[in-house]
Amino acid sequence: NVFKSTLFVSAYLCRWASVGGALPQPVIVFAGLTAGLSAPRGKRFVTLALTFVALRTVGELVHGYAFEDWDEEERRRRDRSWKG
């Protein structure tokens, strides 16, 4: 039961940090495992939290650069559809 909960939480964190696929899942998992294994015992939770927040920040930046034009086009389409 603890294993399933840990697996569920880690899968959710990896999806959250990848920002809709802006960062590949293997990169997120590798960074999380590396941070968790290399962190000192007393600081493991803080290290993992900061790692996932940093990955989310990078993912948001990548998502903003990669999908900025797409988001604008999507907004324009939605605006036109509301106006009729």
Side-chain angles (χ1 to χ4, degrees):
N1 203 9
V2 172
F3 179 72
K4 284 184 181 180
S5 298
T6 305
L7 192 61
F8 178 75
V9 169
S10 62
Y12 175 77
L13 281 174
C14 288
R15 269 184 277 140
W16 176 78
S18 73
V19 190
L23 293 178
Q25 287 283 334
V27 172
I28 303 294
V29 172
F30 180 75
L33 284 174
T34 304
L37 292 174
S38 65
R41 282 185 183 249
K43 304 282 185 180
R44 193 161 286 154
F45 181 77
V46 173
T47 303
L48 283 171
L50 288 175
T51 300
F52 282 114
V53 168
L55 288 168
R56 174 71 185 204
T57 304
V58 171
E60 289 284 351
L61 290 171
V62 170
H63 186 341
Y65 287 123
F67 298 108
E68 183 178 4
D69 294 335
W70 182 83
D71 288 341
E72 282 297 318
E73 289 175 19
E74 187 65 26
R75 271 192 222 110
R76 287 187 194 124
R77 268 190 238 130
R78 271 189 263 141
D79 288 344
R80 277 189 234 136
S81 66
W82 279 103
K83 292 176 185 173

